[in-house]
Short mmCIF file of all heavy atoms in Angstrom, two decimals:
data_model
loop_
_atom_site.label_atom_id
_atom_site.label_comp_id
_atom_site.label_asym_id
_atom_site.label_seq_id
_atom_site.Cartn_x
_atom_site.Cartn_y
_atom_site.Cartn_z
N VAL A 1 15.64 -1.49 -9.67
CA VAL A 1 14.91 -2.64 -9.12
C VAL A 1 15.05 -2.70 -7.60
O VAL A 1 14.14 -3.14 -6.90
CB VAL A 1 15.29 -3.99 -9.77
CG1 VAL A 1 14.97 -3.98 -11.25
CG2 VAL A 1 16.74 -4.36 -9.53
N SER A 2 16.19 -2.22 -7.09
CA SER A 2 16.36 -2.17 -5.63
C SER A 2 15.35 -1.21 -5.00
O SER A 2 14.73 -1.53 -3.98
CB SER A 2 17.79 -1.74 -5.27
OG SER A 2 18.72 -2.67 -5.75
N MET A 3 15.20 -0.04 -5.62
CA MET A 3 14.25 0.94 -5.08
C MET A 3 12.82 0.40 -5.15
O MET A 3 12.04 0.55 -4.21
CB MET A 3 14.36 2.27 -5.81
CG MET A 3 13.43 3.33 -5.21
SD MET A 3 13.58 4.95 -5.98
CE MET A 3 15.18 5.46 -5.39
N ILE A 4 12.47 -0.25 -6.26
CA ILE A 4 11.13 -0.82 -6.40
C ILE A 4 10.91 -1.90 -5.35
O ILE A 4 9.86 -1.94 -4.69
CB ILE A 4 10.92 -1.36 -7.83
CG1 ILE A 4 10.86 -0.21 -8.83
CG2 ILE A 4 9.64 -2.21 -7.91
CD1 ILE A 4 10.95 -0.65 -10.29
N GLY A 5 11.88 -2.78 -5.18
CA GLY A 5 11.75 -3.86 -4.20
C GLY A 5 11.63 -3.36 -2.78
O GLY A 5 10.78 -3.81 -2.01
N ILE A 6 12.49 -2.42 -2.41
CA ILE A 6 12.46 -1.87 -1.04
C ILE A 6 11.17 -1.11 -0.78
O ILE A 6 10.55 -1.26 0.28
CB ILE A 6 13.70 -0.98 -0.79
CG1 ILE A 6 14.96 -1.85 -0.74
CG2 ILE A 6 13.55 -0.17 0.50
CD1 ILE A 6 16.26 -1.07 -0.81
N THR A 7 10.75 -0.32 -1.74
CA THR A 7 9.50 0.44 -1.59
C THR A 7 8.32 -0.51 -1.41
O THR A 7 7.48 -0.33 -0.52
CB THR A 7 9.27 1.36 -2.81
OG1 THR A 7 10.38 2.24 -2.93
CG2 THR A 7 7.98 2.16 -2.67
N THR A 8 8.26 -1.54 -2.24
CA THR A 8 7.16 -2.51 -2.14
C THR A 8 7.24 -3.28 -0.84
O THR A 8 6.21 -3.53 -0.21
CB THR A 8 7.18 -3.47 -3.34
OG1 THR A 8 7.12 -2.71 -4.55
CG2 THR A 8 6.01 -4.44 -3.29
N PHE A 9 8.44 -3.63 -0.40
CA PHE A 9 8.61 -4.31 0.88
C PHE A 9 7.99 -3.47 2.00
O PHE A 9 7.20 -3.97 2.81
CB PHE A 9 10.09 -4.57 1.16
CG PHE A 9 10.36 -5.13 2.53
CD1 PHE A 9 10.26 -6.50 2.75
CD2 PHE A 9 10.69 -4.31 3.59
CE1 PHE A 9 10.49 -7.03 4.02
CE2 PHE A 9 10.92 -4.83 4.86
CZ PHE A 9 10.82 -6.19 5.07
N LEU A 10 8.34 -2.19 2.03
CA LEU A 10 7.85 -1.31 3.10
C LEU A 10 6.33 -1.12 3.03
O LEU A 10 5.64 -1.17 4.05
CB LEU A 10 8.59 0.03 3.06
CG LEU A 10 10.09 -0.04 3.36
CD1 LEU A 10 10.75 1.31 3.10
CD2 LEU A 10 10.33 -0.51 4.79
N PHE A 11 5.82 -0.87 1.82
CA PHE A 11 4.37 -0.69 1.67
C PHE A 11 3.61 -1.97 2.05
O PHE A 11 2.55 -1.90 2.66
CB PHE A 11 4.02 -0.26 0.24
CG PHE A 11 4.00 1.22 0.06
CD1 PHE A 11 5.16 1.91 -0.29
CD2 PHE A 11 2.84 1.95 0.23
CE1 PHE A 11 5.17 3.27 -0.46
CE2 PHE A 11 2.82 3.33 0.06
CZ PHE A 11 4.00 3.99 -0.28
N SER A 12 4.16 -3.12 1.71
CA SER A 12 3.50 -4.39 2.04
C SER A 12 3.53 -4.64 3.53
O SER A 12 2.54 -5.10 4.12
CB SER A 12 4.18 -5.55 1.30
OG SER A 12 4.10 -5.35 -0.09
N LEU A 13 4.65 -4.35 4.15
CA LEU A 13 4.80 -4.49 5.59
C LEU A 13 3.72 -3.68 6.31
O LEU A 13 2.99 -4.19 7.15
CB LEU A 13 6.20 -4.01 5.99
CG LEU A 13 6.70 -4.32 7.37
CD1 LEU A 13 7.57 -5.57 7.29
CD2 LEU A 13 7.54 -3.17 7.88
N VAL A 14 3.61 -2.42 5.91
CA VAL A 14 2.63 -1.52 6.51
C VAL A 14 1.21 -1.94 6.12
O VAL A 14 0.28 -1.84 6.93
CB VAL A 14 2.92 -0.06 6.09
CG1 VAL A 14 1.81 0.89 6.51
CG2 VAL A 14 4.26 0.40 6.66
N GLY A 15 1.03 -2.43 4.90
CA GLY A 15 -0.29 -2.83 4.42
C GLY A 15 -0.92 -3.92 5.26
O GLY A 15 -2.11 -3.89 5.54
N VAL A 16 -0.12 -4.90 5.65
CA VAL A 16 -0.64 -5.98 6.50
C VAL A 16 -1.18 -5.40 7.81
O VAL A 16 -2.27 -5.75 8.26
CB VAL A 16 0.44 -7.06 6.77
CG1 VAL A 16 -0.04 -8.06 7.82
CG2 VAL A 16 0.80 -7.78 5.48
N LYS A 17 -0.43 -4.49 8.40
CA LYS A 17 -0.84 -3.89 9.68
C LYS A 17 -2.09 -3.03 9.49
O LYS A 17 -3.04 -3.10 10.28
CB LYS A 17 0.31 -3.07 10.27
CG LYS A 17 0.04 -2.60 11.66
CD LYS A 17 -0.04 -3.76 12.62
CE LYS A 17 -0.16 -3.28 14.05
NZ LYS A 17 -0.32 -4.38 14.99
N ILE A 18 -2.10 -2.22 8.45
CA ILE A 18 -3.27 -1.37 8.18
C ILE A 18 -4.50 -2.23 7.94
O ILE A 18 -5.58 -1.94 8.46
CB ILE A 18 -3.01 -0.44 6.97
CG1 ILE A 18 -2.01 0.65 7.37
CG2 ILE A 18 -4.30 0.18 6.45
CD1 ILE A 18 -1.56 1.52 6.22
N GLY A 19 -4.35 -3.29 7.15
CA GLY A 19 -5.48 -4.19 6.89
C GLY A 19 -5.99 -4.82 8.16
O GLY A 19 -7.20 -4.97 8.35
N ASN A 20 -5.09 -5.17 9.03
CA ASN A 20 -5.48 -5.78 10.30
C ASN A 20 -6.22 -4.80 11.19
O ASN A 20 -7.14 -5.18 11.91
CB ASN A 20 -4.23 -6.33 11.01
CG ASN A 20 -4.57 -7.26 12.14
OD1 ASN A 20 -4.29 -6.97 13.29
ND2 ASN A 20 -5.19 -8.38 11.80
N ILE A 21 -5.86 -3.53 11.09
CA ILE A 21 -6.49 -2.51 11.94
C ILE A 21 -7.74 -1.92 11.28
O ILE A 21 -8.80 -1.82 11.90
CB ILE A 21 -5.49 -1.38 12.26
CG1 ILE A 21 -4.34 -1.92 13.11
CG2 ILE A 21 -6.17 -0.22 12.96
CD1 ILE A 21 -3.19 -0.96 13.29
N PHE A 22 -7.63 -1.53 10.02
CA PHE A 22 -8.70 -0.76 9.38
C PHE A 22 -9.54 -1.52 8.36
O PHE A 22 -10.57 -1.04 7.92
CB PHE A 22 -8.12 0.48 8.67
CG PHE A 22 -7.46 1.43 9.60
CD1 PHE A 22 -6.09 1.55 9.62
CD2 PHE A 22 -8.21 2.21 10.47
CE1 PHE A 22 -5.46 2.44 10.47
CE2 PHE A 22 -7.59 3.10 11.33
CZ PHE A 22 -6.22 3.21 11.33
N GLY A 23 -9.08 -2.66 7.89
CA GLY A 23 -9.86 -3.42 6.92
C GLY A 23 -9.72 -2.90 5.51
O GLY A 23 -8.70 -2.36 5.12
N LEU A 24 -10.76 -3.04 4.72
CA LEU A 24 -10.73 -2.76 3.28
C LEU A 24 -10.84 -1.28 2.91
O LEU A 24 -10.83 -0.93 1.74
CB LEU A 24 -11.87 -3.51 2.58
CG LEU A 24 -11.75 -5.03 2.58
CD1 LEU A 24 -13.01 -5.66 2.01
CD2 LEU A 24 -10.53 -5.48 1.81
N LYS A 25 -10.91 -0.42 3.91
CA LYS A 25 -11.14 1.01 3.67
C LYS A 25 -10.13 1.63 2.69
O LYS A 25 -10.48 2.45 1.86
CB LYS A 25 -11.10 1.76 5.00
CG LYS A 25 -11.36 3.23 4.90
CD LYS A 25 -11.37 3.86 6.28
CE LYS A 25 -11.63 5.34 6.18
NZ LYS A 25 -11.60 5.98 7.48
N TYR A 26 -8.85 1.23 2.77
CA TYR A 26 -7.81 1.87 1.96
C TYR A 26 -7.42 1.09 0.71
O TYR A 26 -6.66 1.59 -0.11
CB TYR A 26 -6.56 2.11 2.82
CG TYR A 26 -6.84 3.07 3.95
CD1 TYR A 26 -6.95 2.62 5.25
CD2 TYR A 26 -7.01 4.43 3.70
CE1 TYR A 26 -7.22 3.50 6.28
CE2 TYR A 26 -7.28 5.31 4.72
CZ TYR A 26 -7.38 4.84 6.01
OH TYR A 26 -7.65 5.71 7.02
N LYS A 27 -7.93 -0.12 0.53
CA LYS A 27 -7.54 -0.95 -0.60
C LYS A 27 -7.87 -0.26 -1.93
O LYS A 27 -7.03 -0.13 -2.81
CB LYS A 27 -8.24 -2.31 -0.53
CG LYS A 27 -7.95 -3.20 -1.72
CD LYS A 27 -8.77 -4.47 -1.63
CE LYS A 27 -8.57 -5.34 -2.84
NZ LYS A 27 -9.15 -4.83 -4.05
N THR A 28 -9.08 0.19 -2.09
CA THR A 28 -9.52 0.82 -3.33
C THR A 28 -8.75 2.11 -3.60
O THR A 28 -8.34 2.37 -4.72
CB THR A 28 -11.03 1.09 -3.28
OG1 THR A 28 -11.69 -0.16 -3.10
CG2 THR A 28 -11.53 1.74 -4.54
N LYS A 29 -8.53 2.89 -2.56
CA LYS A 29 -7.80 4.15 -2.73
C LYS A 29 -6.36 3.90 -3.16
O LYS A 29 -5.82 4.62 -4.00
CB LYS A 29 -7.84 4.96 -1.43
CG LYS A 29 -9.22 5.49 -1.11
CD LYS A 29 -9.25 6.20 0.22
CE LYS A 29 -10.69 6.62 0.49
NZ LYS A 29 -10.94 6.94 1.86
N ALA A 30 -5.73 2.87 -2.61
CA ALA A 30 -4.36 2.53 -2.97
C ALA A 30 -4.27 2.14 -4.44
O ALA A 30 -3.38 2.59 -5.17
CB ALA A 30 -3.83 1.41 -2.08
N GLU A 31 -5.18 1.29 -4.91
CA GLU A 31 -5.17 0.88 -6.32
C GLU A 31 -5.43 2.07 -7.23
O GLU A 31 -4.80 2.21 -8.27
CB GLU A 31 -6.23 -0.20 -6.57
CG GLU A 31 -5.85 -1.54 -6.04
CD GLU A 31 -6.88 -2.61 -6.31
OE1 GLU A 31 -8.07 -2.30 -6.45
OE2 GLU A 31 -6.48 -3.78 -6.39
N PHE A 32 -6.32 2.96 -6.85
CA PHE A 32 -6.65 4.14 -7.65
C PHE A 32 -5.43 5.05 -7.79
O PHE A 32 -5.06 5.46 -8.89
CB PHE A 32 -7.83 4.89 -7.03
CG PHE A 32 -8.30 6.05 -7.87
CD1 PHE A 32 -9.18 5.84 -8.91
CD2 PHE A 32 -7.83 7.33 -7.63
CE1 PHE A 32 -9.62 6.89 -9.70
CE2 PHE A 32 -8.26 8.40 -8.41
CZ PHE A 32 -9.15 8.18 -9.44
N VAL A 33 -4.79 5.36 -6.67
CA VAL A 33 -3.61 6.23 -6.68
C VAL A 33 -2.50 5.60 -7.52
O VAL A 33 -1.86 6.27 -8.32
CB VAL A 33 -3.13 6.52 -5.24
CG1 VAL A 33 -1.75 7.17 -5.23
CG2 VAL A 33 -4.13 7.41 -4.53
N GLY A 34 -2.27 4.30 -7.34
CA GLY A 34 -1.25 3.61 -8.12
C GLY A 34 -1.52 3.69 -9.61
O GLY A 34 -0.60 3.93 -10.41
N GLY A 35 -2.77 3.50 -10.01
CA GLY A 35 -3.13 3.58 -11.42
C GLY A 35 -2.89 4.96 -12.01
O GLY A 35 -2.34 5.10 -13.11
N VAL A 36 -3.29 5.99 -11.28
CA VAL A 36 -3.09 7.37 -11.75
C VAL A 36 -1.60 7.66 -11.90
O VAL A 36 -1.16 8.25 -12.90
CB VAL A 36 -3.77 8.37 -10.79
CG1 VAL A 36 -3.34 9.80 -11.10
CG2 VAL A 36 -5.28 8.24 -10.86
N ILE A 37 -0.80 7.25 -10.93
CA ILE A 37 0.64 7.49 -10.98
C ILE A 37 1.25 6.85 -12.22
O ILE A 37 2.02 7.48 -12.96
CB ILE A 37 1.33 6.97 -9.70
CG1 ILE A 37 1.01 7.89 -8.52
CG2 ILE A 37 2.85 6.87 -9.90
CD1 ILE A 37 1.47 7.36 -7.17
N LEU A 38 0.91 5.59 -12.50
CA LEU A 38 1.48 4.91 -13.66
C LEU A 38 1.07 5.56 -14.97
O LEU A 38 1.89 5.71 -15.88
CB LEU A 38 1.10 3.43 -13.64
CG LEU A 38 1.71 2.61 -12.50
CD1 LEU A 38 1.24 1.16 -12.59
CD2 LEU A 38 3.22 2.67 -12.52
#
């Protein structure tokens, strides 16, 4: 759970910045990759 929490913390931190810079371009790709991995 520590690894999951830290990983999500870092991805979320970066996600806010990416969203602010690039917008919705990566949202769909992130969900797709996450789904395939699971």
Side-chain angles (χ1 to χ4, degrees):
V1 298
S2 298
M3 183 177 289
I4 291 168
I6 291 167
T7 301
T8 303
F9 174 84
L10 295 172
F11 270 88
S12 300
L13 192 97
V14 172
V16 171
K17 189 66 174 177
I18 288 174
N20 194 244
I21 295 171
F22 298 108
L24 293 173
K25 182 177 180 182
Y26 296 106
K27 177 185 176 289
T28 300
K29 291 177 184 162
E31 285 181 333
F32 185 84
V33 168
V36 169
I37 287 171
L38 293 179

